[in-house]
Amino acid sequence: MLEEENCDRENGNYAEEAIFTRKYLKNVIMGGCGLNNSYEEQRQHIEELFRKVAANGESNSAILIGPRGCGKTTLIASVLMDILAERWFTENSMIVYLNGLIHTDDKLALSSIAVQLRLENTVDGKVFGSFAENLEFLLTSLRQGDRKESKSVIFILEEFDLFCSHHNQTLLYNLFDISQSPQVPVCVLGVTCRLDVMELLEKRVKSRFSHRQIFLFPPSNDPEQRISAFRERLKLPTKKSPPLSVRTHLEENNPCEFNFLRLNVNQIPCKASAKWIQEWNRSIEKLTEREEIRRGLKTMYEIDISEQSFRTFLIDIISLVSPKKPLLGEIEVLNVIKKYLADEKIQILRDLSVMEFCLIIAMKHHCEIYDRDPFNFEMIHERFLKFANTTKSVQHWSRSAMFKAFEFIAQQELIAPAGGGAKIQKEFQMYRLLLTFGQIAEATKTYSGLPTDITQWAQSSLV
């Protein structure tokens, strides 16, 4: 009883600092702070591009390539957070953000460029000739005399590969052309997940591109890195960081549209007491020493190594902090981990009928024998019949009923068409299994009321 009262008294003393900790860590995590050290080379490369165009007027172009969710956008936001804190940078440069999912044609892109450069009133009601003339007018409007006095413009093209589908790739052609001509200092940075993006560029566009490609791949397969990242990103800094006035600079000089930067630049200083910081960091250390939490983090890493999902997970963890419970508890953290480890496909398998589950098992055995080669309904039905004829306890369902069950499995996206070409009968349409053998094994163990013979068939390697 006395311990509970002391705990309540401590929680009351730390109520304000708990609220601050939640706000501070969310901001740091969303800002990309603590990104994997293996990205340091790419980070320096991007920062160098931005600094050179702002300081020296050196125009350039590059493409940042990496799988979806690996942290490309977060890395750019992190770089901009640092350099936008320097007043000289915000006074000498402007940022334009375009997204291929939003700006689906050159007209929309040009309109957005005008708004972000604060030149929409300049072009309002005026009629120009070509797209190139429009763009050139917008950029030359930023001049304050000679080239050295021109404001540099940084173009960030998210979903870069989608801009390649624009008519004649006019936007890309003009941006790359300007980046190689002595007009306004321009830096063009494309962001894409397609490795073959260079093949999508037209010859005239490719000739004006600098051919600078920055690859951002996930780190080596070391689950210990995830545990280390969990610990480091949730810790509070032991030294108080100075407040940043980035948001003021940004709003005054860079009315860019990308919301992730507007969110992240609103950085706050770490002003918690030394006693609270020590207490918080000690609790995080204890959490990372728990074997169940370590095992859960490793499993999450093996399932999904993307930076995006890990950030979302950390935000969910931070959301557990409250004035009533300022320190993270082991049980609460484990519950969040279990939520992320829950496999929706296993739940779908558990909800299948016995007949549908038998078809899944037949597909599993087919894939084991033929090294995951595609199959059709006739193959799977024949395999099931071989099993059913050797087991008296298994019901013999009609062929039409089993075909409907096969179609239902396809609707649940547990299998996917493997091409087809010309028109063929549904029974002979080839499919591929979208399940792992581990998922089927786990569903077999937890399937309620599954007959023993079918359970043994699923667990057996005999076919």
Side-chain angles (χ1 to χ4, degrees):
M1 190 67 168
L2 183 61
E3 290 181 1
E4 291 181 1
E5 290 179 359
N6 291 336
C7 182
D8 290 339
R9 194 177 299 114
E10 277 191 14
N11 290 348
N13 293 338
Y14 289 144
E16 291 185 5
E17 290 180 306
I19 295 174
F20 155 75
T21 299
R22 185 173 61 193
K23 182 178 180 181
Y24 176 82
L25 289 178
K26 279 186 177 181
N27 198 284
V28 169
I29 292 167
M30 293 303 294
C33 296
L35 273 173
N36 195 288
N37 292 332
S38 60
Y39 296 156
E40 191 59 35
E41 182 180 347
Q42 293 88 335
R43 178 189 176 87
Q44 291 177 359
H45 200 156
I46 294 172
E47 185 174 344
E48 183 182 1
L49 284 175
F50 291 168
R51 288 186 180 277
K52 282 186 175 181
V53 70
N56 306 325
E58 294 183 19
S59 297
N60 219 318
S61 55
I63 298 179
L64 181 62
I65 304 173
R68 198 171 297 280
C70 71
K72 300 184 294 298
T73 303
T74 304
L75 181 64
I76 296 172
S78 178
V79 171
L80 289 175
M81 270 185 62
D82 290 344
I83 58 180
L84 283 172
E86 303 174 25
R87 183 170 291 277
W88 72 269
F89 184 86
T90 57
E91 290 176 349
N92 292 290
S93 63
M94 303 189 76
I95 302 170
V96 175
Y97 174 80
L98 300 176
N99 192 310
L101 295 172
I102 301 171
H103 308 102
T104 53
D105 59 49
D106 290 344
K107 185 177 180 181
L108 287 173
L110 186 66
S111 175
S112 182
I113 292 171
V115 170
Q116 294 182 62
L117 295 180
R118 291 183 174 177
L119 296 172
E120 64 270 28
N121 294 330
T122 306
V123 300
D124 187 32
K126 299 185 184 297
V127 179
F128 301 101
S130 64
F131 177 88
E133 292 172 335
N134 275 272
L135 184 61
E136 183 180 359
F137 174 77
L138 288 175
L139 296 178
T140 53
S141 297
L142 299 175
R143 289 188 181 179
Q144 302 173 6
D146 58 17
R147 177 179 170 82
K148 293 183 179 179
E149 296 297 323
S150 297
K151 271 207 169 189
S152 59
V153 184
I154 297 173
F155 287 91
I156 300 176
L157 307 183
E158 194 84 41
E159 304 292 345
F160 179 82
D161 50 286
L162 297 182
F163 287 100
C164 299
S165 62
H166 288 196
H167 180 66
N168 292 334
Q169 298 183 359
T170 306
L171 174 67
L172 298 181
Y173 172 81
N174 284 280
L175 287 179
F176 289 154
D177 188 55
I178 291 172
S179 69
Q180 291 198 344
S181 60
Q183 298 178 2
V184 177
V186 167
C187 176
V188 182
L189 178 62
V191 184
T192 181
C193 60
R194 293 195 55 169
L195 292 173
D196 63 341
V197 66
M198 293 298 296
E199 304 301 322
L200 303 177
L201 296 176
E202 293 183 359
K203 188 175 181 180
R204 66 186 188 121
V205 178
K206 191 183 297 185
S207 65
R208 285 162 174 77
F209 175 53
S210 67
H211 291 269
R212 178 173 291 167
Q213 300 177 66
I214 306 171
F215 292 95
L216 193 67
F217 293 126
S220 59
N221 188 22
D222 182 9
E224 288 294 334
Q225 291 182 349
R226 179 56 53 90
I227 297 173
S228 176
F230 176 85
R231 178 175 55 248
E232 296 305 321
R233 295 205 204 181
L234 291 184
K235 277 187 173 182
L236 293 174
T238 53
K239 295 182 180 179
K240 292 185 178 181
S241 57
L244 301 179
S245 55
V246 181
R247 191 174 182 82
T248 303
H249 294 178
L250 179 65
E251 290 179 342
E252 290 177 355
N253 301 285
N254 287 285
C256 59
E257 288 186 348
F258 47 138
N259 295 325
F260 73 88
L261 184 57
R262 283 189 173 275
L263 172 67
N264 296 332
V265 295
N266 193 19
Q267 186 63 282
I268 55 178
C270 184
K271 55 185 180 183
S273 66
K275 183 180 178 181
W276 165 252
I277 292 176
Q278 185 179 7
E279 188 73 19
W280 172 268
N281 290 346
R282 188 186 300 119
S283 70
I284 298 300
E285 286 285 354
K286 288 181 179 178
L287 286 175
T288 54
E289 292 172 1
R290 302 293 186 187
E291 185 57 35
E292 284 189 84
I293 292 178
R294 293 177 65 88
R295 187 164 54 247
L297 290 172
K298 288 180 180 180
T299 305
M300 286 178 58
Y301 183 80
E302 290 168 357
I303 294 173
D304 187 359
I305 64 174
S306 73
E307 172 66 25
Q308 186 176 18
S309 62
F310 183 52
R311 277 211 327 269
T312 306
F313 165 73
L314 291 178
I315 293 298
D316 281 352
I317 293 293
I318 293 301
S319 299
L320 299 174
V321 178
S322 66
K324 292 184 179 180
K325 196 170 180 60
L327 295 176
L328 293 171
E330 180 183 356
I331 296 176
E332 290 81 1
V333 173
L334 282 173
N335 287 336
V336 176
I337 291 176
K338 288 177 181 178
K339 184 183 74 172
Y340 276 80
L341 291 179
D343 194 328
E344 294 181 358
K345 287 189 175 180
I346 293 178
Q347 185 58 49
I348 293 173
L349 287 173
R350 291 197 201 105
D351 294 336
L352 295 178
S353 67
V354 175
M355 175 173 56
E356 292 159 352
F357 199 75
C358 283
L359 290 176
I360 292 291
I361 297 172
M363 295 172 190
K364 168 183 173 287
H365 285 309
H366 174 90
C367 291
E368 285 178 333
I369 298 169
Y370 298 105
D371 195 22
R372 284 193 168 270
D373 278 356
F375 51 81
N376 57 33
F377 170 73
E378 291 294 340
M379 296 177 185
I380 300 305
H381 184 246
E382 183 67 23
R383 186 160 300 280
F384 168 76
L385 289 179
K386 287 181 179 180
F387 164 71
N389 290 334
T390 60
T391 308
K392 295 181 180 179
S393 62
V394 176
Q395 181 180 353
H396 285 252
W397 295 285
S398 67
R399 186 176 183 279
S400 59
M402 297 202 72
F403 182 67
K404 286 186 178 295
F406 187 88
E407 289 185 319
F408 178 77
I409 291 172
Q411 290 173 4
Q412 297 300 308
E413 297 184 353
L414 301 177
I415 58 176
K423 292 183 178 180
I424 57 176
Q425 294 182 22
K426 293 182 179 180
E427 294 85 346
F428 299 101
Q429 168 67 51
M430 303 301 287
Y431 287 86
R432 290 188 182 277
L433 185 64
L434 300 182
L435 298 166
T436 65
F437 298 153
Q439 287 173 321
I440 298 174
E442 184 64 28
T444 302
K445 293 177 185 177
T446 56
Y447 192 107
S448 179
L450 189 66
T452 304
D453 288 339
I454 297 177
T455 301
Q456 293 175 349
W457 181 41
Q459 296 174 344
S460 173
S461 59
L462 298 178
V463 293

